[in-house]
Amino acid sequence: MAIMRLNVGPIHPSTHGVLRLVVDVDGDTVKSVEPHIGFLHRGVEKLMENRMYMQSPSYVEKLDYVAPLSWDDLYVAAVEQATGILCKERAQFARVVLLEFQRIASHLLWLGTFANDVGQLFTLFMWCFRERAMILKLLEDVSGSRMFYVNLRLGGLYQDLPSDFKDRAYKLADYLEGKIVEYPDVLDENPIFLERTKGIGVLGKEDAINYGVSGPVLRASGIEEDTRKSNPYYTYGRIKFRIPTGNRGDSYDRYKVRYEEMLQSIRIIRETLDLMPDKGDVIGLPIKLIGPNAKPAPVMISRELPRGEGMIYMIPDKQKPYRISMRSPAFVNLAALPKMSENCKFADLFPTLGSIDIVLAELDR
Amino acid sequence: MEIQSEALARTLEGLKTKGFDYLKKITAVDRVDHLEVVYILYSTINNEHEIVLTQLPSENPEIGTAMKFYKAADWYERELSEMFGIKIKGRKAKRLLLEKWNGAEAPLRKSFEWANPNYKKL
């Protein structure tokens, strides 16, 4: 049969952003997929080379609008390493709690939209957004902004935590756990969901490593790799948690890994709050006072972002980075899409794409 | 680890047999008088990093491909060639990955004017 070339996107509800896929199909079997990216490319790396260090966090946050705090943390940590400023102890605990809440919020948004892609229409979507809104409310009360926090400063946060922060965080963790455990009821017993995710979009162990995928996509393929464990930062080294892994590497495993990760995040939040001192300084250096004279030695720093491993390789200069290069986890994960969707049905391409959890703004930088 | 650009394939092959099975990032730095290409490798078994640096001339830079050893190199190399104007030997020129313009100038080179020259400089 003749091969037909289909064009999906760049504006398409299933591509979760501005992504174009050129798909060659034989009947309804996908023969090849070529992602066309770059629609949101705005040269963030170049812009940051021409900004003072602490002018850049708002650029970094706009990379990933689903988990801005995680990127903010990655960037601020890179600058802290370059300038030799240490993060205050209580601020480290606070960052871990906020980052894990951010991870849950990001996974919730993913889960809701993924369920929509697959045919669990809007029930789960509404549930996920209900819980996500509560997390955003807490983050708003900590930072003053609902989505783009720009909350981290060198050595700490920009203002003290609310006095009832610990209580509210405990309560929210309890609430989230109670709700999140209900989610599998509408997924794991839903034949449509299982049919469309099990055995679909398989990425084997060797391929996962060879393609360099990271985060839940890598762990779903059965590799226990998590920066929080392998190179612990902040207080992660002092906390017990598990790295959820899958074994088949299909879309279902990627869902399961993210689901388990949310529960592990709640566990991390609880344990961190237990260890966190009630009093102490969390406030970092104010932006205006900063003229960090960074050493020119290259900085390489990794963080486990919700979408995978983010990394910054930076050559610092005195006031601005001489060169900053960012590893976007979604960029690498999307590059493995053609492998995942080899010879799958055309309708299965979208659950596979959805299961990678891409954010196009981060991908294109 | 600093190497000659000709020795890239040999080095990567050696590192891969030593357990560095995961390519994290390929990037480059424009040092004005030369270009520096950076390969960041990782070993999922031993949990360690290795950074491979190699220098290229600013004029007509060329480097071999890492695709033979790491499939992850695919998009990184395409990004490298359009952002720094580095030619990747052994790879067919494809459409640009990120840019949607003519790509005549490499945007991440220091010689590239980042803003409209008429704007007020910071």
Side-chain angles (χ1 to χ4, degrees):
Chain A
M1 200 190 249
I3 301 273
M4 181 164 68
R5 176 160 288 186
L6 282 176
N7 185 45
V8 184
I11 310 293
H12 188 281
S14 287
T15 54
H16 301 281
V18 206
L19 167 70
R20 179 175 164 217
L21 297 175
V22 176
V23 191
D24 284 347
V25 287
D26 181 359
D28 71 346
T29 308
V30 173
K31 285 292 160 199
S32 78
V33 186
E34 208 197 336
H36 286 222
I37 60 169
F39 293 93
L40 289 172
H41 180 68
R42 53 226 186 274
V44 170
E45 290 175 5
K46 185 78 179 177
L47 289 170
M48 284 165 72
E49 282 173 21
N50 294 285
R51 296 282 188 284
M52 309 272 276
Y53 282 111
M54 289 317 275
Q55 283 182 313
S56 293
S58 51
Y59 279 100
V60 186
E61 292 210 333
K62 268 81 179 176
L63 286 177
D64 183 350
Y65 45 81
V66 182
L69 194 66
S70 309
W71 268 97
D72 195 6
D73 169 63
L74 173 61
Y75 175 72
V76 170
V79 181
E80 277 172 358
Q81 201 181 69
T83 52
I85 296 170
L86 293 176
C87 184
K88 289 170 182 161
E89 203 205 351
R90 184 156 176 257
Q92 293 192 11
F93 287 108
R95 280 188 190 180
V96 171
V97 173
L98 297 176
L99 287 172
E100 291 306 318
F101 272 127
Q102 181 72 90
R103 185 184 313 278
I104 300 173
S106 167
H107 283 354
L108 283 172
L109 190 140
W110 169 81
L111 185 60
T113 48
F114 177 61
N116 256 8
D117 280 351
V118 175
Q120 214 303 329
L121 280 176
F122 288 106
T123 310
L124 193 61
F125 184 80
M126 287 297 172
W127 291 0
C128 288
F129 269 64
R130 178 185 62 193
E131 271 74 271
R132 179 171 172 266
M134 304 197 62
I135 297 176
L136 296 192
K137 184 78 182 81
L138 180 77
L139 293 176
E140 182 183 356
D141 291 347
V142 171
S143 68
S145 167
R146 188 174 156 273
M147 275 191 72
F148 297 110
Y149 312 105
V150 200
N151 187 30
L152 307 184
R153 297 287 181 271
L154 297 183
L157 311 179
Y158 110 99
Q159 62 179 14
D160 203 356
L161 297 166
S163 52
D164 58 347
F165 174 73
K166 258 188 159 182
D167 288 343
R168 288 185 57 190
Y170 271 123
K171 267 187 204 150
L172 184 56
D174 292 343
Y175 171 82
L176 288 173
E177 191 175 34
K179 293 293 182 189
I180 287 170
V181 292
E182 288 177 355
Y183 294 168
D185 295 352
V186 291
L187 294 175
D188 285 352
E189 288 163 30
N190 182 341
I192 300 173
F193 180 80
L194 298 179
E195 193 94 340
R196 296 201 66 186
T197 52
K198 278 201 170 168
I200 305 292
V202 177
L203 188 68
K205 216 171 180 174
E206 277 81 40
D207 283 330
I209 290 184
N210 206 356
Y211 276 89
V213 299
S214 59
V217 181
L218 181 66
R219 291 193 282 275
S221 297
I223 295 138
E224 208 176 299
E225 171 62 43
D226 189 320
T227 317
R228 290 175 293 172
K229 276 263 195 226
S230 56
N231 293 300
Y233 47 94
Y234 297 147
T235 58
Y236 284 113
R238 293 158 64 177
I239 295 163
K240 281 202 192 93
F241 63 100
R242 200 167 55 78
I243 308 173
T245 51
N247 43 28
R248 291 182 303 269
D250 56 4
S251 300
Y252 182 80
D253 276 359
R254 291 194 272 277
Y255 143 69
K256 213 67 198 166
V257 164
R258 287 200 184 89
Y259 170 75
E260 294 285 339
E261 257 184 51
M262 288 197 273
L263 297 178
Q264 290 302 318
S265 288
I266 291 173
R267 183 176 166 188
I268 295 172
I269 290 169
R270 284 213 187 99
E271 290 196 23
T272 313
L273 287 170
D274 289 344
L275 293 172
M276 185 173 165
D278 284 322
K279 292 217 164 56
D281 197 8
V282 292
I283 301 173
L285 297 175
I287 289 181
K288 278 186 184 167
L289 291 183
I290 288 174
N293 287 330
K295 300 169 208 88
V299 167
M300 188 184 78
I301 194 157
S302 286
R303 287 282 188 262
E304 193 67 32
L305 311 179
R307 254 150 285 284
E309 185 186 343
M311 181 157 126
I312 282 185
Y313 181 81
M314 179 164 80
I315 312 286
D317 206 348
K318 277 183 184 130
Q319 300 287 328
K320 302 169 182 173
Y322 181 79
R323 164 92 175 104
I324 182 158
S325 157
M326 292 178 279
R327 178 196 203 266
S328 149
F331 181 83
V332 196
N333 293 356
L334 183 67
L337 177 70
K339 180 74 196 166
M340 287 181 203
S341 51
E342 247 173 18
N343 290 322
C344 75
K345 295 287 176 207
F346 185 70
D348 290 336
L349 180 61
F350 296 102
T352 309
L353 177 66
S355 71
I356 304 174
D357 190 13
I358 45 171
V359 167
L360 272 303
E362 178 204 276
L363 219 140
D364 294 338
R365 276 159 295 144
Chain B
M1 184 196 284
E2 284 197 37
I3 56 159
Q4 297 289 317
S5 62
E6 297 81 34
L8 180 76
R10 198 155 19 94
T11 315
L12 291 181
E13 196 176 6
L15 284 171
K16 198 171 178 186
T17 50
K18 269 191 210 157
F20 289 95
D21 49 358
Y22 190 96
L23 175 72
K24 269 200 181 163
K25 177 87 182 162
I26 304 177
T27 185
V29 183
D30 183 7
R31 300 282 191 180
V32 183
D33 57 336
H34 66 270
L35 288 168
E36 189 179 80
V37 185
V38 184
Y39 293 79
I40 300 171
L41 304 173
Y42 179 67
S43 162
T44 51
I45 309 143
N46 305 324
N47 182 19
E48 53 186 351
H49 285 89
E50 178 72 57
I51 302 180
V52 179
L53 297 174
T54 177
Q55 290 190 2
L56 296 177
S58 287
E59 301 277 309
N60 302 322
E62 270 192 343
I63 195 158
T65 174
M67 273 281 277
K68 243 192 281 170
F69 314 108
Y70 305 99
K71 294 231 173 73
D74 185 3
W75 281 17
Y76 285 140
E77 284 180 350
R78 281 169 71 183
E79 193 187 356
L80 202 66
S81 64
E82 79 185 69
M83 292 294 165
F84 287 91
I86 297 172
K87 199 178 163 225
I88 310 290
K89 277 182 279 185
R91 291 201 60 180
K92 274 186 227 157
K94 274 191 167 178
R95 66 181 170 78
L96 293 176
L97 186 68
L98 290 164
E99 299 285 339
K100 291 285 176 277
W101 59 319
N102 60 17
E105 253 186 299
L108 282 179
R109 292 275 192 114
K110 289 286 171 189
S111 56
F112 185 86
E113 195 59 46
W114 68 281
N116 185 330
N118 298 326
Y119 289 160
K120 210 174 91 189
K121 280 248 173 181
L122 277 173

